[in-house]
Amino acid sequence: LQVHNNDDAHHCDVTSTENGEPVTPANFLQSQQHLLFLETVANNDLEGDSVLCLNCVERVRTALEQDTDRLERECDLYRETIEEDRLRQESAIRAIRGYWPSVDEHNNNSNNPHFETGALLQGYRDQIDAMNVTCENQIQEINELLKLRKEQAHLSNDLDDLEWGVEEHKNTLELEARGFDNAEEQVWNKLSETIQELDQLSSTKIKLPAIVLGLKVDKARGLRYPLINELRLAYRPKGDLKWNEVQAAWSLAAQLLLACGALLQYPSQYWKIVPLSSGAKLIHHNNNSNNNSSTRGGGGENDFKVYNLGHPNANGPQTLLAWNNLMYNVVHHCGSVLAKIRDVEDSSNINNSRNNNNNNKSFPKLPFDMTPTSIGGKSLVRLDKNDDAGWSRVVHCTSCNLLWL
């Protein structure tokens, strides 16, 4: 606090230089001077007639309160500091006792004032050594983890490469699958068209041809070929007989067999005849329930087996075996029809002898006996494909039985 005396009027200006700030070496002297002045004012020891005004007294009171608050805060800080030091010392002592349990006995039996300090230092050293060992172990563990991390990174890269390869393979398979789907769709469309054509060419929808089909033996040209509409029916070409004539003759034979089957209402469940002008085809549907037809007709592992009659690239023995099998089924069905007709006639009141005479005239005997694999005593299974005489005999028997139908 500073007191200023003026000439005209007495006025005291009391200012606080502290403002609650902490005491530093720079303002320590000034602070002490203020405290001494305040003590003098408090004891009414002011020199002369200097008297403090009310304003100065109020300022002095405010300054004293501020200094008192500051001193109380500093005391609180001192207490907290002392308490922290005490707690820190107790924690250090507990740590020393943990590493050196016999320190209490040495403290009780020793009068050396530096003994406790040495024990404390030794405890700190032991603690530091233990921490160093722990740090070394942790460093080793970190190095191991870094090695494992590098290995995991390599494995991750390998897995990424494998995944990329799998994705490429997957894309390739998807493209191939789409191409296969397109090809499958085209095949199914073609199969649907073929089935529609077969339905249109089935025995129940084809009428008899306008030209009357007849069979006779060709004697004028020196060879005994069966003729169908003046076309020679043969196993394979020979001499002036070419493949185109053989194909046309077998196509007419297929039309004749198809017409006979339609007239006799033969249920062609597993056989289809396609009498195209370019070459007749026999289509056999393989069915496990009809083992005899499948075996005798030459059916393979597929559901459908196609035989080309008179084709140069076809398997001639297998094709004629399939033809003989189908023709045998038609002949066998014809025999069943004839048996029903005979039963109806036998039930009538006509003379038996007359019936027998009429039956002999109406229903001539089959020229050559047939089985699914033989005709006229010739086994089609045992004939060699180069046995022209044997296969010519088979064709001749086939034409005679076809003419009988």
Side-chain angles (χ1 to χ4, degrees):
L1 296 175
Q2 295 179 357
V3 180
H4 301 282
N5 296 324
N6 297 329
D7 295 338
D8 297 336
H10 176 75
H11 179 74
C12 295
D13 186 8
V14 181
T15 61
S16 176
T17 60
E18 299 299 324
N19 295 327
E21 299 177 357
V23 179
T24 61
N27 61 4
F28 180 76
L29 180 58
Q30 185 179 1
S31 177
Q32 293 299 323
Q33 291 176 354
H34 290 175
L35 290 175
L36 291 174
F37 180 76
L38 290 174
E39 185 179 359
T40 304
V41 173
N43 295 327
N44 295 324
D45 292 337
L46 292 174
E47 297 178 356
D49 296 334
S50 298
V51 180
L52 295 175
C53 62
L54 293 177
N55 191 13
C56 293
V57 172
E58 182 65 24
R59 292 184 180 183
V60 169
R61 186 185 63 80
T62 303
L64 289 174
E65 291 178 354
Q66 293 177 356
D67 289 336
T68 302
D69 294 337
R70 179 180 59 79
L71 291 174
E72 290 178 354
R73 288 195 297 272
E74 290 179 356
C75 290
D76 293 335
L77 291 175
Y78 291 152
R79 293 190 190 95
E80 292 177 358
T81 302
I82 292 171
E83 183 67 21
E84 290 177 357
D85 291 338
R86 185 182 65 79
L87 294 175
R88 191 179 298 109
Q89 185 178 6
E90 291 178 355
S91 177
I93 292 172
R94 286 194 298 271
I96 292 172
R97 290 175 179 174
Y99 285 99
W100 195 2
S102 61
V103 67
D104 292 336
E105 296 179 358
H106 291 284
N107 289 335
N108 295 329
N109 298 327
S110 177
N111 295 323
N112 187 5
H114 300 287
F115 180 78
E116 185 176 357
T117 303
L120 182 61
L121 292 175
Q122 184 64 32
Y124 283 143
R125 291 190 186 98
D126 294 339
Q127 187 175 5
I128 290 171
D129 293 337
M131 293 177 66
N132 288 331
V133 174
T134 304
C135 290
E136 291 177 357
N137 294 332
Q138 290 181 354
I139 289 172
Q140 293 179 357
E141 186 177 358
I142 289 172
N143 293 331
E144 294 294 333
L145 291 175
L146 290 175
K147 291 181 181 179
L148 292 175
R149 185 176 180 275
K150 290 181 180 179
E151 293 178 359
Q152 293 294 332
H154 290 304
L155 290 176
S156 179
N157 293 331
D158 295 339
L159 289 176
D160 291 338
D161 295 337
L162 290 175
E163 184 178 2
W164 183 260
V166 169
E167 291 296 331
E168 288 183 349
H169 188 61
K170 181 181 178 181
N171 292 334
T172 304
L173 291 177
E174 289 180 355
L175 294 176
E176 292 178 356
R178 291 180 181 177
F180 179 77
D181 292 338
N182 295 332
E184 185 180 8
E185 184 178 359
Q186 294 177 1
V187 170
W188 278 110
N189 292 334
K190 187 175 181 180
L191 180 60
S192 299
E193 294 176 357
T194 304
I195 292 175
Q196 291 178 1
E197 184 178 359
L198 290 176
D199 292 338
Q200 293 176 358
L201 296 176
S202 62
S203 59
T204 58
K205 296 181 180 180
I206 289 185
K207 298 180 180 180
L208 289 174
I211 302 176
V212 177
L213 302 178
L215 290 171
K216 62 182 179 180
V217 176
D218 181 14
K219 298 180 180 179
R221 283 177 278 196
L223 295 175
R224 295 179 59 84
Y225 286 113
L227 293 181
I228 179 169
N229 281 5
E230 301 299 328
L231 295 175
R232 289 171 286 183
L233 191 66
Y235 170 63
R236 59 184 177 183
K238 188 174 183 181
D240 60 344
L241 179 61
K242 304 300 180 182
W243 276 114
N244 55 356
E245 184 177 355
V246 174
Q247 287 181 346
W250 279 109
S251 178
L252 292 175
Q255 294 182 29
L256 181 58
L257 183 61
L258 179 63
C260 294
L263 288 175
L264 297 172
Q265 297 181 354
Y266 170 67
S268 58
Q269 184 177 1
Y270 304 112
W271 288 96
K272 293 289 184 180
I273 300 178
V274 184
L276 301 177
S277 59
S278 59
K281 298 179 183 294
L282 298 180
I283 300 177
H284 177 256
H285 174 63
N286 188 14
N287 192 332
N288 294 329
S289 63
N290 193 356
N291 294 326
N292 293 331
S293 297
S294 299
T295 304
R296 296 165 185 171
E301 295 179 356
N302 298 328
D303 291 340
F304 292 93
K305 185 71 174 180
V306 180
Y307 301 94
N308 296 313
L309 293 173
H311 196 275
N313 296 328
N315 188 343
Q318 291 293 329
T319 303
L320 288 182
L321 181 63
W323 169 270
N324 187 77
N325 187 5
L326 176 59
M327 187 173 175
Y328 168 77
N329 292 332
V330 177
V331 170
H332 181 71
H333 177 72
C334 180
S336 300
V337 174
L338 294 180
K340 292 180 180 179
I341 294 175
R342 290 192 183 96
D343 292 340
V344 172
E345 291 181 351
D346 289 341
S347 62
S348 63
N349 295 325
I350 304 176
N351 191 339
N352 291 332
S353 60
R354 184 179 178 183
N355 283 336
N356 292 331
N357 294 331
N358 291 336
N359 286 337
N360 293 331
K361 293 180 181 179
S362 301
F363 307 125
K365 184 181 178 181
L366 185 67
F368 298 97
D369 295 333
M370 294 183 66
T371 65
T373 58
S374 65
I375 184 171
K378 290 286 184 179
S379 177
L380 278 68
V381 179
R382 297 180 180 179
L383 279 178
D384 186 78
K385 65 179 181 179
N386 296 322
D387 187 1
D388 292 340
W391 287 110
S392 297
R393 173 69 177 174
V394 170
V395 173
H396 178 75
C397 295
T398 299
S399 61
C400 293
N401 287 351
L402 187 62
L403 183 59
W404 176 84
L405 278 175

